[in-house]
Amino acid sequence: MKDEKFQAGFVSIVGKPNVGKSTLMNRLIGSRLSITTPKPQTTRKNITGILSNDNYQIVFIDTPGFLKPRYLLQEKMIESINESLKDTDVIMIICDASFFPTDYDKKVIELCKKFKGKILLVMNKVDLVSQEKIKEIHQNISNLPGEIFLTSCKLGKGIDDLRKYLIDNLPLHPPYYPIDNIATQNVRFFVQEIIREKIFLYLEQELPYSSAVSIEIFDETKDEVNILANIFVESRSQKKIIIGKNGSMIKKIRKASEKAATEFMQKKVRMELWVKIRKNWKKKERILKEFGY
Ligand SMILES: Nc1nc2c(ncn2[C@@H]2O[C@H](COP(=O)(O)OP(=O)(O)OP(=O)(O)O)[C@@H](O)[C@H]2O)c(=O)[nH]1
Ligand SMILES: [Mg+2]
């Protein structure tokens, strides 16, 4: 019986904002599923990414960077992390090799010590560090729990070894999801995330953190998709910035989102974007629910 030998397990990806958690998950599953940007706190809720073949299935949970909650949205983000640690087989703690060990890294490691499953420490962004620093890291980690991996998601270094280790150490278990699934969220959600990614890429300061995206119309035919999406911001002045002079900024966001969504869906995507104001949405339970947080 093939099923008796099947290996499957959950791997949670945790760590400080901006260390490369989402980029690493995308690399491991070989698909740009979770959005990634140079700004911290890009990921807002757990994103499941699934890697399977006929013999194994790894279910990755990409979490929002750990942080101290300042508003309700951030509390929700922390809930996401705790949720991901409950039933997981492996915790991967990702650190930025350049700054390791930050107080933050130490706290996360301390928190994960309670965990009974396997712990992996992944030092990412090794493309940015010297040999000296790598030696120093090795000295620093001698008394830490778990296996250590050095990766560069930018150069694709160390990814295959890490993936192989994870596969080799999966428990015997039937698949949790159909083996042709790569995600648990629907396509609409990922298109929403793509638009949010472009807002993070093109706008500065508070604006990305003050915006949320919700899709109103998602009209899919055999060879194309027409989408109407709302971008919610918190004030009139933010609305002005996101629209830009003569609509130039919103056009840029739309063009880039259409291109990325077309690649993601493998069919022509056309979008219309509307900018709307929802004051204090980050602090209001009802609106957070409506936006899917
Ligand atoms: N130089 C270098 N940059 C990297 C590497 N891995 C990721 N990055 C960059 O680091 C930034 C943050 O990556 P993300 O994957 O969004 O980080 P994250 O940990 O998911 O961040 P949050 O979702 O905000 O917690 C992006 O600009 C990535 O391109 C790496 O190995 N080397
Ligand atoms: Mg992320």
Side-chain angles (χ1 to χ4, degrees):
M1 286 290 288
K2 198 169 85 184
D3 255 17
E4 282 171 17
K5 279 202 189 148
F6 201 90
Q7 292 173 281
F10 281 79
V11 177
S12 292
I13 308 178
V14 302
K16 196 171 184 243
N18 214 37
V19 294
K21 296 179 294 298
S22 302
T23 315
L24 180 66
M25 181 178 83
N26 291 346
R27 279 280 193 184
L28 288 165
I29 63 173
S31 171
R32 266 189 59 80
L33 197 62
S34 198
I35 61 167
T36 66
T37 80
K39 295 191 177 70
Q41 295 178 38
T42 299
T43 306
R44 282 187 185 159
K45 61 189 248 178
N46 291 349
I47 309 289
T48 305
I50 307 168
L51 179 72
S52 328
N53 74 5
D54 289 340
N55 307 310
Y56 68 81
Q57 179 170 77
I58 311 180
V59 185
F60 291 102
I61 313 287
D62 174 24
T63 67
F66 272 84
L67 27 80
K68 278 201 206 90
R70 268 194 300 139
Y71 40 81
L72 189 61
L73 174 65
Q74 291 184 332
E75 276 177 38
K76 299 263 172 202
M77 287 160 82
I78 296 211
E79 268 174 36
S80 268
I81 297 162
N82 289 333
E83 197 57 36
S84 87
L85 296 184
K86 264 190 218 151
D87 293 313
T88 200
D89 299 290
V90 180
I91 295 181
M92 278 204 304
I93 304 171
I94 321 298
C95 308
D96 183 330
S98 324
F99 302 107
F100 183 80
T102 61
D103 287 348
Y104 204 99
D105 296 333
K106 288 181 198 158
K107 247 183 233 151
V108 176
I109 291 169
E110 209 41 56
L111 230 141
C112 290
K113 274 186 182 162
K114 288 187 293 201
F115 176 67
K116 293 198 185 70
K118 254 192 182 359
I119 298 179
L120 306 189
L121 278 176
V122 179
M123 300 294 146
N124 188 36
K125 307 199 186 184
V126 290
D127 53 289
L128 300 177
V129 304
S130 63
Q131 282 304 318
E132 281 305 297
K133 179 70 194 179
I134 289 181
K135 258 190 224 145
E136 192 193 307
I137 289 174
H138 278 291
Q139 281 157 8
N140 262 318
I141 52 184
S142 49
N143 59 349
L144 294 178
E147 299 280 329
I148 316 294
F149 287 84
L150 272 64
T151 59
S152 165
C153 289
K154 187 176 176 183
L155 306 177
K157 252 174 72 177
I159 310 291
D160 291 343
D161 288 346
L162 175 56
R163 191 188 298 107
K164 183 172 184 310
Y165 180 89
L166 289 169
I167 294 167
D168 289 347
N169 285 281
L170 283 172
L172 285 172
H173 196 282
Y176 291 94
Y177 297 97
I179 58 172
D180 56 354
N181 285 20
I182 72 154
T184 55
Q185 278 112 339
N186 59 22
V187 178
R188 257 172 188 252
F189 170 77
F190 289 106
V191 172
Q192 230 162 265
E193 287 286 278
I194 285 171
I195 301 168
R196 214 162 60 70
E197 180 182 67
K198 302 312 168 198
I199 297 170
F200 264 72
L201 286 175
Y202 296 142
L203 293 153
E204 296 307 321
Q205 292 163 1
E206 271 308 294
L207 231 166
Y209 303 103
S210 298
S211 54
V213 178
S214 126
I215 289 184
E216 195 162 309
I217 299 175
F218 192 91
D219 191 7
E220 185 171 2
T221 64
K222 198 161 79 30
D223 19 54
E224 61 173 44
V225 194
N226 286 294
I227 292 167
L228 172 66
N230 295 314
I231 299 175
F232 294 98
V233 291
E234 294 189 298
S235 68
R236 216 178 252 278
S237 60
Q238 288 180 340
K239 180 171 171 174
K240 233 176 115 182
I241 298 172
I242 210 164
I243 291 173
K245 204 169 176 216
N246 300 321
S248 56
M249 179 52 81
I250 196 73
K251 184 174 174 191
K252 197 166 143 185
I253 294 169
R254 178 173 59 80
K255 288 277 177 202
S257 301
E258 281 179 338
K259 184 163 177 272
T262 297
E263 266 164 40
F264 185 76
M265 294 198 64
Q266 304 274 299
K267 48 172 107 163
K268 181 78 196 154
V269 175
R270 272 194 211 90
M271 271 183 203
E272 204 173 318
L273 300 179
W274 287 88
V275 183
K276 297 183 175 170
I277 300 167
R278 282 288 169 89
K279 285 211 169 75
N280 287 325
W281 66 264
K282 280 185 288 191
K283 296 180 186 139
K284 290 183 180 154
E285 181 81 40
R286 185 180 53 79
I287 307 186
L288 284 172
K289 258 217 179 90
E290 182 189 324
F291 291 166
Y293 296 118

